[in-house]
Amino acid sequence: MADIQRLPASVVNRIAAGEVIERPASVVKELVENALDACATRIDVAIEQGGLELVRVTDNGQGIAAEQLPLAVEPHATSKICTAEDLFRVGTLGFRGEALASIAEVSRLLIRSRAAGRDEGAELLIDGGMRVTASGNGSFPALAAGVVPCGCPVGTTVEVKNLFFNTPVRRKFLRTAQTEIGHITEAVTRLALAHPGVHFTLRHGGRELYDLPPAANWLDRIERFFGPDVTRHLVWVESRTAAGREGGDGLALFGFVGLPSLNRPNPRMQFLFANGRFIRDRALAHALAEAYRGLLLTGRHAVCFLCLEMPPDAVDVNVHPTKLEVRFQDGGRIYSLLLATLRTRFLSTDLTSKLQAPPAWQKQPGGEEAALSVPAERQAESAMDPRQADALRSELVAWAKGELGAEGGEEAPWERDDQAAGGTAAPAASPSTTLPRTGLQFHRVPESFQLRTLPPPPRTIPGSIAPGGPLPRAAAQSGSGPQPPIELGSPLVEAGAIPEPPVVRAGSDDQSSVLAMQVHDRYLIVESDAGVVVIDQHALHERILYEQLRSKVVSQRLESQSLLVSEPVDLSPAEADAVLAQRQVLAELGVRVEPFGGSTVVVTSYPAILARARVAELLRGIVERLLAGGKVEPRHLVDELLHMMACKAAIKAGDRLTPQEIMALLAQRHLVADAHHCPHGRPTALVLTREELDRQFLRT
């Protein structure tokens, strides 16, 4: 059996480097954190070859005294903690004192620093863990000085060259320079977001990637990284609590969260900071997902930039080699605070999706100009002051009315502008092709081209649906052939023509009624005070049914409709076992099943609110969810089954709705919570504002 022996310092440092220094981005993170702990207000990061050849971090912090430089690269030497109790109230980003020693062991490290109040600086060169003189005349034992004076500004510069030069296996498995610079950029992004008051620069190969001046507003720093397309969809959240059960100064949560329309296929844009440190926490990620439940599609993730502030003794940061994970003293309180803050904010926010398209004159993705360009008169207006623009508009209106023209010896305003600009006039047309220059003339459209107007809607419609009742299907939906046109008094078009979509007025007050029209048998177009709203009929009806079902289940007032003849459903043995094992849960939802022999079950009742749902299809949908896998809490299972039942029973895309059904659907839209999204997270409506319409039609 081998004897136990103490490992040499170089071996210890190399082991630590394997944990702490995973790639060049780890070096950047450790050095920038040291600069922030030194109270730097400007940090410059320079990279060569993805960080393999050079990583240089320069700051204007407090600096290191010459006599302390040798100690700075010793393992577990630090100025940030003194006793074991300090580990439980860490107020800095670093505290272990092993970063510089680990980096020096696997690279050629140069530290140049000058402390405030000193006339000169000092530098220390370390090659693979061995200190050398500045001239490189030899090597010395680990405790030799090797520090030489130098001229430098106040602050510290750390250069790391030839990273992993003495660990070829680690160097071999690094990615390309482009991949490594991507990791470095991500590390700098996290640190710069956590400290918006610090000036950051990042350069790679002499090319500037970031130049981030101090930002008084955190949103400005976020916009520098992610652009206005992200920041315009962020909303501010803030919440503060009193001291917890363990004392302390309380807890604060603040930052920005994205609207449901701003989402990503991965959680990489979820930035959580605890006392200025970027962290990953499964519990907080779960709370974030719960806050967005029903607002995002499956597989989509929210965008957030959130800060947690708490006493240092309320969080343990000494649980992960790279300090990405932490442990909270009262994790449940933080979970509840995050969940409640976001849900409260969403309840007071209009989450209806708004349609935003680029202006018609902007370049298309291929780089070609759009077919529709800015009119010449609008270009002329943009170069004028408001008075000239108003004068031009007046002349244009007068010309259109025939008050200006060839008879009066006047020219059109744009022709006069062209000549004044020195443009060449177009050649005169021949007498045989010259048209008389007269004002615009309006001609009455022949009667055969006119559409007859709709009659005024009746005050009450026979058979109208109560707002709380289920939405019926059109009687003609059961047929497989084309749906007949909907009659509303006099016909809209001549016989034999394609029928127009139904147009109804939602509401009983003629002054406040809203025109609604169904298009493509799947969307409803409604006029609103903001502009035009396009509604997905299936998504909206699904949300209405879900809210009605959930309300009745919570209050235990869900009525079940017993079948006169029980309906048998043939399932596989595994499906039958899953259904019978959850009979109690299904009974709470109004679905009662009984074994019928073999793998067949019979449905004896189902929710009365889903009167038009197909029983067999409804049960098979439930089976699919039960067999989806994974252990689910009963309350979550009930909620997901409600989602599925509402989806199966809702009207579908392609269903032609009667005017009464359209009115009932729109009337119930304002009676349910979260009507802006279906239970699965899809938006139920898109708003095209009047401003956006004016912009698209070049009116602004």
Side-chain angles (χ1 to χ4, degrees):
M1 181 176 178
D3 296 333
I4 299 175
Q5 59 182 346
R6 186 181 299 276
L7 293 176
S10 61
V11 178
V12 173
N13 290 339
R14 198 161 297 189
I15 293 174
E19 295 180 348
V20 178
I21 310 303
E22 180 183 0
R23 59 191 339 132
S26 305
V27 175
V28 173
K29 172 182 175 294
E30 297 293 342
L31 296 182
V32 173
E33 286 183 350
N34 283 343
L36 291 170
D37 288 339
C39 303
T41 59
R42 181 185 176 103
I43 301 175
D44 301 311
V45 182
I47 307 296
E48 297 290 345
Q49 295 297 316
L52 290 177
E53 297 302 323
L54 173 68
V55 173
R56 181 191 298 116
V57 176
T58 303
D59 67 70
N60 63 349
Q62 298 171 348
I64 306 173
E67 60 272 14
Q68 290 191 331
L69 274 181
L71 193 58
V73 294
E74 288 295 321
H76 307 297
T78 179
S79 62
K80 301 166 186 176
I81 60 173
C82 297
T83 64
E85 287 74 16
D86 293 339
L87 287 174
F88 302 105
R89 49 176 181 269
V90 175
T92 56
L93 297 177
F95 57 90
R96 293 178 182 147
E98 60 182 358
L100 287 178
S102 301
I103 296 171
E105 193 66 38
V106 293
S107 67
R108 294 182 173 92
L109 176 70
L110 172 66
I111 303 179
R112 184 180 296 111
S113 184
R114 175 186 163 195
R118 298 295 181 94
D119 295 332
E120 63 180 11
E123 69 176 25
L124 175 64
L125 180 63
I126 302 177
D127 189 352
M130 300 297 293
R131 300 178 190 170
V132 300
T133 61
S135 58
N137 291 329
S139 60
F140 300 88
L143 296 179
V147 178
V148 297
C150 69
C152 62
V154 174
T156 303
T157 297
V158 181
E159 289 186 0
V160 180
K161 296 183 179 180
N162 299 330
L163 185 63
F164 300 130
F165 77 98
N166 53 359
T167 54
V169 175
R170 176 66 66 90
R171 189 179 180 98
K172 176 182 178 181
F173 282 92
L174 291 177
R175 303 298 181 183
T176 62
Q178 192 64 31
T179 301
E180 297 302 331
I181 194 61
H183 289 288
I184 292 172
T185 301
E186 185 176 5
V188 173
T189 299
R190 294 171 177 175
L191 291 164
L193 286 175
H195 301 85
V198 178
H199 190 160
F200 284 87
T201 64
L202 175 61
R203 302 179 67 87
H204 179 237
R207 182 170 60 94
E208 185 178 89
L209 301 182
Y210 288 131
D211 185 1
L212 307 169
N217 186 352
W218 195 24
L219 196 63
D220 295 338
R221 177 61 59 90
I222 296 174
E223 184 171 339
R224 292 296 296 269
F225 280 111
F226 304 104
D229 290 339
V230 169
T231 55
R232 71 165 59 102
H233 294 94
L234 297 178
V235 294
W236 174 259
V237 296
E238 183 176 7
S239 182
R240 299 180 183 272
T241 65
R245 63 172 183 267
E246 300 295 337
D249 298 326
L251 175 67
L253 170 70
F254 58 90
F256 295 93
V257 295
L259 296 173
S261 57
L262 179 66
N263 56 77
R264 294 292 184 268
N266 54 62
R268 291 181 60 184
M269 283 191 66
Q270 294 179 359
F271 293 89
L272 298 174
F273 304 96
N275 291 345
R277 183 193 309 275
F278 174 82
I279 63 169
R280 290 187 183 132
D281 188 87
R282 293 183 179 179
L284 295 184
H286 186 269
L288 190 65
E290 285 296 306
Y292 280 87
R293 177 184 286 271
L295 301 178
L296 296 178
L297 290 172
T298 303
R300 306 298 294 185
H301 299 268
V303 174
C304 72
F305 305 87
L306 293 173
C307 290
L308 285 167
E309 287 187 355
M310 65 195 73
D313 57 0
V315 56
D316 184 4
V317 299
N318 190 28
V319 297
H320 192 271
T322 60
K323 303 183 284 287
L324 279 178
E325 297 180 6
V326 298
R327 295 291 183 269
F328 297 108
Q329 188 179 44
D330 196 353
R333 188 164 68 106
I334 298 175
Y335 181 99
S336 301
L337 177 67
L338 176 58
L339 182 59
T341 301
L342 266 62
R343 285 186 172 175
T344 302
R345 186 68 173 89
F346 290 157
L347 287 175
S348 61
T349 304
D350 181 12
L351 301 182
T352 305
S353 300
K354 292 180 174 57
L355 184 61
Q356 293 181 341
W361 61 85
Q362 284 186 357
K363 289 186 177 181
Q364 296 178 345
E368 299 294 333
E369 294 288 346
L372 183 61
S373 59
V374 183
E377 62 270 19
R378 188 165 295 278
Q379 294 179 359
E381 289 182 21
S382 63
M384 300 179 184
D385 60 24
R387 294 181 180 179
Q388 292 176 332
D390 291 340
L392 179 59
R393 291 192 190 96
S394 300
E395 293 186 12
L396 285 172
V397 172
W399 175 85
K401 293 179 178 179
E403 297 176 6
L404 296 177
E407 297 84 356
E410 301 223 16
E411 298 171 332
W414 52 82
E415 294 177 353
R416 184 167 62 252
D417 291 342
D418 289 342
Q419 294 182 5
T424 304
S430 60
S432 60
T433 60
T434 301
L435 296 177
R437 295 186 61 185
T438 60
L440 292 179
Q441 297 183 5
F442 296 89
H443 303 275
R444 185 174 299 278
V445 179
E447 185 177 356
S448 59
F449 288 92
Q450 296 187 44
L451 291 176
R452 285 188 282 272
T453 59
L454 289 170
R459 288 286 181 177
T460 57
I461 297 180
S464 59
I465 303 129
L471 183 69
R473 302 283 186 90
Q477 291 176 9
S478 59
S480 58
Q483 304 294 336
I486 296 177
E487 299 291 334
L488 281 178
S490 59
L492 294 177
V493 293
E494 298 295 332
I498 299 176
E500 289 289 327
V503 180
V504 300
R505 287 186 177 271
S508 59
D509 188 0
D510 291 340
Q511 299 296 329
S512 60
S513 60
V514 180
L515 282 174
M517 178 177 67
Q518 184 185 30
V519 296
H520 298 303
D521 292 345
R522 65 181 62 194
Y523 300 113
L524 305 178
I525 299 180
V526 184
E527 177 187 0
S528 70
D529 294 337
V532 176
V533 183
V534 182
I535 298 174
D536 185 328
Q537 64 186 33
H538 170 73
L540 178 58
H541 192 208
E542 183 181 349
R543 167 57 72 178
I544 292 172
L545 289 179
Y546 168 75
E547 294 293 341
Q548 293 174 347
L549 285 169
R550 186 178 67 170
S551 175
K552 292 180 179 296
V553 168
V554 170
S555 61
Q556 298 182 350
R557 293 186 296 104
L558 182 63
E559 301 88 355
S560 294
Q561 174 67 48
S562 298
L563 295 174
L564 185 61
V565 178
S566 300
E567 183 166 341
V569 181
D570 294 327
L571 304 172
S572 67
E575 293 173 339
D577 291 341
V579 169
L580 295 177
Q582 298 291 342
R583 290 169 62 183
Q584 183 177 357
V585 174
L586 297 181
E588 295 179 8
L589 302 178
V591 180
R592 291 181 171 81
V593 295
E594 301 292 342
F596 194 65
S599 59
T600 302
V601 299
V602 291
V603 180
T604 60
S605 66
Y606 65 97
I609 197 173
L610 307 180
R612 296 185 178 274
R614 295 184 177 90
V615 176
E617 181 182 355
L618 181 65
L619 184 62
R620 288 194 173 91
I622 295 175
V623 169
E624 290 177 3
R625 176 59 195 92
L626 294 177
L627 296 179
K631 186 177 180 180
V632 184
E633 296 182 11
R635 63 186 183 92
H636 289 165
L637 178 61
V638 170
D639 195 58
E640 293 179 7
L641 291 179
L642 290 177
H643 290 177
M644 185 278 307
M645 294 167 63
C647 182
K648 295 292 184 182
I651 56 178
K652 303 296 188 295
D655 289 348
R656 176 65 65 89
L657 302 183
T658 65
Q660 293 85 351
E661 290 175 326
I662 295 176
M663 292 179 64
L665 190 61
L666 295 178
Q668 295 179 78
R669 179 189 179 202
H670 304 287
L671 301 178
V672 299
D674 299 332
H676 39 72
H677 283 79
C678 80
H680 296 99
R682 291 194 303 112
T684 62
L686 292 175
V687 177
L688 187 59
T689 63
R690 287 181 293 179
E691 292 78 10
E692 184 67 23
L693 286 169
D694 291 341
R695 191 164 68 99
Q696 291 298 319
F697 284 103
L698 310 181
R699 299 182 65 88
T700 58

